[in-house]
């Protein structure tokens, strides 16, 4: 019953397909924004950078754009210049514009992506369900290794927390912070032969941080009339206590992602034995 | 001249090459893990492409600091933050889906005893 | 000036991806994939996206490679048991 195509034919077909695809892509490059012709002033990101989305929405709703013969868009929207450390009470106080988009302007999108991550982690845990045995790395770790990973774990945990608490000021945020914490947990597994993580605790922690995200969103819904709206004052841009609820949500995301990825590492590294099937 | 060509095309060429190489692996290789490696390389290429169309020469990073001003007289001089924020979350989702795919690969190995796609297909008949 | 360094990094990344294609051993292919992620994270830094660079370096080059190696180890353990 074996009627597979020979490998050489398969490779030649794949190469020709990819060549056609690449020719199409490079042909399309003539129409795409080249490096030297990108103009952010024509894009919607101008509103995010200058933090005047509310002004744009207001003038769009009042019909001013088209009534006065204005060119519909972004460069006509009034804005106030922003200086680091001085401007106060902006509509979004985060100094890191990427963070302000991820958490504030497009926060609902982030909630969906966190849900996808939760489903992936649950799937991994479900497929490896069973009686838990020892972890599969039998490296016979030495004393230096096992003590060193524990000391390094404390430092790595602190660094991860630093990254997600300062997410609105410096590059970083909840997602890389959680990943850094998970790599610390991976180090613990590699360095200690008999290390066992608290699986139930990880799941509980993760669910609680996910619920915190939704509860913060619902607070915005009931106090400002919009889901995931900012309900706290945005202070001076550049302070640690600024940007309203962004720091709170990024702390929740950081804890959730850290617990989730740690649970994934834990499920994959611990050998299980199926009790059912 | 050379510099202008590089500024226009180098990142696009790099990302498209990564996508092509990843596609080649996924189409021709027969090991399940190798196919997942190819998918990861495609993902890297796509992320690079999305960040590359946000950049232009002499752009500054989109973070307000003491010395970094993002606009001069109403003209924005920063890189586009919107594709960057999309890529930021896409990377994390990529790790989750990769872990799920690897888990399913391990389960397939436990059932059939091999990672070769052709042998699995034969055993399934 | 920095564009020339970026072109060099792009060349290195493409070479590493080709190594990932043509290497016979699965482990070296996985390590090459991690190096591709590392090079791409450097390119993100040249593209003025430090957020994405940090995330890619922590996840793509670190955790993703580690999870691949763990999965490979699980499979290799089963293979050696079968042979014995």
């Amino acid at each position: 019953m074996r009627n597979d195509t020979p490998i050489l034919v398969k490779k030649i077909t794949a190469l020709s397909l990819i060549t056609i695809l690449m020719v199409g892509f490079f042909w399309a490059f003539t129409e795409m924004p080249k490096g030297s012709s990108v103009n952010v002033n024509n894009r919607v990101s101008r509103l995010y950078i200058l933090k005047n989305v509310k002004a744009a929405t207001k003038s769009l709703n009042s019909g001013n754009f088209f009534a006065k013969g204005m060119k519909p868009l972004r460069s006509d929207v009034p804005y106030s210049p922003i200086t680091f450390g001085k401007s106060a009470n902006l509509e979004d106080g985060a100094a890191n514009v990427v963070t302000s988009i991820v958490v504030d302007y497009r926060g609902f999108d982030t909630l969906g992506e966190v849900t996808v991550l939760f489903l992936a982690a649950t799937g991994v845990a479900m497929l490896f369900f069973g009686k838990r045995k020892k972890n599969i790395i039998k490296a016979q770790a030495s004393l230096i290794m096992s003590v060193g990973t524990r000391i390094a774990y404390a430092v790595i945990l602190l660094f991860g927390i630093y990254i997600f608490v300062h997410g609105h000021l410096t590059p970083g945020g909840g997602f890389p912070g959680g990943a850094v914490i998970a790599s610390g947990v991976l180090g613990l597994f590699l360095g200690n032969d008999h290390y066992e993580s608290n699986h139930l605790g990880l799941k509980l922690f993760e669910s609680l941080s996910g619920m915190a995200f939704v509860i913060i969103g619902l607070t915005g819904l009931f106090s400002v009339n919009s889901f995931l709206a900012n309900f706290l004052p945005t202070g001076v841009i550049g302070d640690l206590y600024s940007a309203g609820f962004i720091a709170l949500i990024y702390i929740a995301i950081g804890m959730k992602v850290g617990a989730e990825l740690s649970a994934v590492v834990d499920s994959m590294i611990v050998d299980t034995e199926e009790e059912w099937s | 001249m050379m510099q202008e060509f590089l500024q226009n095309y180098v990142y696009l060429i790099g990302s498209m090459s990564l996508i092509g190489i990843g596609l080649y692996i996924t189409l021709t290789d027969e090991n399940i893990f190798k196919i997942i490696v190819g998918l990861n390389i495609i993902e890297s290429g796509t992320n690079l492409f999305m960040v590359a169309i946000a950049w232009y020469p002499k752009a500054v990073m989109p973070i307000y600091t003491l010395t970094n001003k993002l606009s001069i007289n109403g003209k924005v001089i920063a890189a586009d933050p919107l594709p960057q924020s999309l890529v930021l979350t896409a990377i994390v989702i990529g790790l989750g889906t990769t872990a799920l795919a690897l888990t399913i690969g391990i389960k397939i190995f436990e059932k059939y005893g091999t990672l070769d796609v052709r042998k699995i297909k034969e055993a399934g008949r | 000036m920095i564009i020339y360094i970026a072109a060099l990094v792009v060349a290195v990344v493409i070479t590493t991806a080709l190594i990932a294609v043509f290497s016979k051993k699965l482990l070296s292919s996985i390590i090459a994939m991690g190096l591709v992620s590392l090079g791409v994270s450097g390119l993100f830094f040249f593209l003025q996206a430090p957020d994405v660079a940090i995330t890619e370096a922590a996840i793509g080059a670190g955790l993703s490679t580690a999870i691949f190696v763990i999965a490979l180890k699980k499979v290799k353990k089963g293979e050696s048991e079968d042979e014995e």
Side-chain angles (χ1 to χ4, degrees):
Chain A
M1 280 295 287
R2 182 162 184 166
N3 56 355
D4 291 328
T5 48
I7 290 178
L8 191 65
V9 176
K10 207 169 162 186
K11 279 185 180 172
I12 291 172
T13 318
L15 265 183
S16 49
L17 269 177
I18 290 167
T19 315
I20 294 170
L21 201 67
M22 287 300 113
V23 169
F25 278 143
F26 283 107
W27 182 56
F29 280 172
T30 53
E31 298 294 324
M32 271 194 312
K34 296 187 195 94
S36 54
S37 66
V38 171
N39 190 0
V40 179
N41 288 296
N42 290 337
R43 296 186 181 179
V44 74
S45 302
R46 179 192 162 88
L47 303 178
Y48 295 136
I49 290 175
L50 294 175
K51 299 186 190 301
N52 55 355
V53 176
K54 276 181 188 165
T57 319
K58 205 180 286 175
S59 53
L60 197 64
N61 284 340
S62 63
N64 276 341
F65 263 140
F66 307 108
K68 290 182 184 172
M70 277 173 155
K71 280 191 182 158
L73 246 247
R74 285 116 203 180
S75 50
D76 296 331
V77 180
Y79 73 99
S80 55
I82 297 169
T83 42
F84 185 84
K86 288 196 182 123
S87 308
N89 295 323
L90 300 163
E91 67 172 18
D92 179 289
N96 188 344
V97 182
V98 177
T99 298
S100 75
I101 293 176
V102 168
V103 179
D104 194 352
Y105 294 127
R106 304 200 166 206
F108 196 62
D109 193 12
T110 307
L111 182 59
E113 307 217 23
V114 166
T115 314
V116 172
L117 193 63
F118 169 73
L119 284 178
T122 313
V124 171
M126 195 185 78
L127 284 171
F128 279 129
F129 181 76
K131 194 180 172 192
R132 301 168 67 77
K133 296 198 290 192
K134 268 174 64 178
N135 72 19
I136 58 167
I137 311 282
K138 297 182 192 101
Q140 302 290 334
S142 63
L143 181 71
I144 296 175
M145 186 86 174
S146 73
V147 175
T149 46
R150 282 181 216 174
I151 294 173
Y153 175 66
V155 181
I156 289 172
L157 189 66
L158 199 62
F159 181 57
I161 291 173
Y162 169 79
I163 284 182
F164 66 68
V165 169
H166 286 250
H168 56 290
L169 298 178
T170 54
F175 295 105
V180 165
I181 292 174
S183 29
V185 174
L186 177 71
L188 278 186
F189 272 112
L190 295 181
N192 303 286
D193 278 344
H194 301 286
Y195 177 73
E196 282 181 4
S197 68
N198 186 353
H199 207 67
L200 188 70
L202 278 179
K203 283 286 169 197
L204 202 67
F205 199 70
E206 178 205 327
S207 315
L208 284 180
S209 0
M211 272 169 60
F213 193 167
V214 178
I215 286 172
I216 292 170
L218 284 179
T219 315
L221 176 63
F222 289 122
S223 57
V224 200
N225 254 340
S226 157
F227 188 64
L228 280 169
N230 193 355
F231 56 90
L232 290 174
T234 61
V236 180
I237 181 170
D239 283 359
L240 180 59
Y241 298 106
S242 67
F245 78 139
I246 285 182
L248 292 181
I249 282 195
Y250 245 173
I251 288 171
I253 290 178
M255 293 196 298
K256 183 171 167 61
V257 172
E260 225 152 31
L261 296 183
S262 305
V264 166
V265 167
D266 173 55
S267 329
M268 293 200 70
I269 210 169
V270 174
D271 216 358
T272 53
E273 189 180 13
E274 286 189 26
E275 291 171 324
W276 49 278
S277 73
Chain B
M1 176 65 195
M2 182 71 186
Q3 194 174 6
E4 194 178 346
F5 173 78
L6 284 180
Q7 280 173 350
N8 279 338
Y9 290 113
V10 69
Y11 295 112
L12 298 179
I13 289 173
S15 55
M16 287 306 151
S17 312
L18 282 183
I19 292 176
I21 291 168
L23 262 179
Y24 180 75
I25 301 183
T26 47
L27 287 179
T28 58
D29 216 283
E30 278 140 17
N31 195 322
I32 291 182
F33 279 12
K34 201 80 177 281
I35 292 174
I36 302 174
V37 167
L39 286 177
N40 255 347
I41 290 178
I42 294 180
E43 189 201 317
S44 291
T46 320
N47 291 340
L48 182 59
F49 175 71
M50 282 185 67
V51 178
I53 59 172
W55 176 85
Y56 51 95
K58 294 179 186 159
V60 298
M61 61 180 180
I63 297 173
Y64 286 100
T65 60
L66 274 178
T67 55
N68 195 13
K69 288 186 171 53
L70 302 194
S71 66
I72 296 174
N73 296 329
K75 194 170 179 296
V76 173
I77 55 165
D80 193 346
L82 187 55
Q84 297 185 7
S85 64
L86 296 180
V87 168
L88 180 70
T89 41
I91 291 173
V92 186
I93 303 300
L95 178 66
T97 47
T98 302
L100 191 59
L102 284 173
T103 310
I104 294 173
I106 293 172
K107 282 292 159 187
I108 287 174
F109 180 82
E110 283 176 4
K111 185 161 165 59
Y112 292 104
T114 179
L115 280 176
D116 197 319
V117 178
R118 296 190 174 207
K119 287 178 186 165
I120 292 169
K121 204 174 159 191
E122 275 181 10
R125 277 178 187 157
Chain C
M1 188 56 220
I2 208 162
I3 196 76
Y4 294 110
I5 306 174
L8 196 68
V9 178
V10 165
V12 170
V13 163
I14 292 174
T15 318
T16 326
L18 286 176
I19 292 174
V21 177
F22 292 113
S23 67
K24 289 276 184 286
K25 288 176 72 177
L26 201 51
L27 183 63
S28 50
S29 168
I30 289 169
I31 300 297
M33 186 207 77
L35 286 178
V36 168
S37 279
L38 193 63
V40 168
S41 109
L43 287 178
F44 286 152
F45 188 73
F46 290 141
L47 286 167
Q48 304 292 338
D51 292 86
V52 189
I54 286 180
T55 315
E56 177 82 27
I59 289 178
L63 267 182
S64 187
T65 315
I67 283 179
F68 262 101
V69 172
I70 291 166
L72 187 66
K73 180 127 185 156
K74 264 191 164 170
V75 168
K76 276 282 156 60
K77 204 187 101 214
E79 267 180 359
S80 60
E81 275 175 4
D82 286 347
E83 283 166 9
E84 287 163 6

